[in-house]
Amino acid sequence: MEFLPDAAMAAIETAADAAPVAPPVPEEPVSLGPATDAQAPLDASGFRTAGPYVGQWITRQVFADGKVVGASVGKIVGYLSEKESDFNDDDGKPAALWKAEYVEGELKGDAEDLEEHEIKESNPRAEKDDEEEDLGDEDSEEEDDEDFDDAEDEEEEAEESSDDDDDDAV
């Protein structure tokens, strides 16, 4: 068995004592956008075109008289950090804002400024969802009733067919 010379052992111990320290963790979350929030260009409404949630799709419920009357699909198109925004949350603290533009449903063609908790409540996602959603159009309840009736008819037919098969087997 070979041993390292004392000089080599001393060099290894010195290197271990001088191990590099990990870089500090940033205090603010990193932007998900292509540029840092402060570098992203401003759109015509004064919002940054990059930042957290920008480019994400959302679905917001639409209320009237305290009841859900539909839903709207929109895209987050802008962001202002709490330092850039002039908005204060319910606690009076500066808060970031996001701009959503709606492309389907009751709010189609409208835009809305949202807080982060409102975005999180709106199912943020990378894809729009090609599936047809109930977005509160007038025919949707009627169509749902028709679909339910069709399903009941198909179920009854399947039971009758099953009963006929049982008779044949006797």
Side-chain angles (χ1 to χ4, degrees):
M1 186 181 227
E2 285 185 40
F3 292 98
L4 293 173
D6 289 335
M9 253 336 250
I12 291 173
E13 289 172 359
T14 303
D17 291 339
V21 178
V25 177
E27 291 180 21
E28 293 186 25
V30 177
S31 170
L32 301 176
T36 65
D37 302 337
Q39 295 173 337
L42 297 174
D43 66 8
S45 65
F47 279 77
R48 301 254 173 230
T49 57
Y53 301 109
V54 173
Q56 297 275 314
W57 290 92
I58 59 169
T59 301
R60 301 271 298 155
Q61 292 181 332
V62 179
F63 293 87
D65 298 324
K67 296 179 183 179
V68 176
V69 296
S72 289
V73 174
K75 189 172 190 175
I76 304 298
V77 296
Y79 167 71
L80 286 176
S81 71
E82 63 186 37
K83 294 174 185 171
E84 295 174 297
S85 162
D86 61 357
F87 179 76
N88 291 326
D89 65 15
D90 291 340
D91 297 327
K93 296 179 183 174
L97 284 178
W98 287 263
K99 179 168 290 298
E101 292 180 353
Y102 295 101
V103 298
E104 293 179 13
E106 303 275 329
L107 302 175
K108 183 177 181 177
D110 289 343
E112 181 178 27
D113 295 349
L114 301 172
E115 295 176 67
E116 186 170 25
H117 72 90
E118 294 171 308
I119 292 173
K120 289 179 178 180
E121 294 167 358
S122 304
N123 185 28
R125 58 201 179 274
E127 300 296 321
K128 182 179 169 205
D129 289 343
D130 290 331
E131 298 175 15
E132 286 189 29
E133 298 181 42
D134 180 7
L135 297 178
D137 55 5
E138 295 172 12
D139 297 332
S140 63
E141 191 173 319
E142 217 172 84
E143 290 171 2
D144 289 346
D145 289 343
E146 289 173 9
D147 291 343
F148 181 75
D149 291 341
D150 290 345
E152 281 183 334
D153 293 344
E154 289 174 13
E155 188 175 314
E156 287 174 10
E157 289 174 10
E159 286 176 13
E160 289 173 9
S161 175
S162 175
D163 289 344
D164 291 344
D165 291 343
D166 289 345
D167 292 341
D168 292 342
V170 176

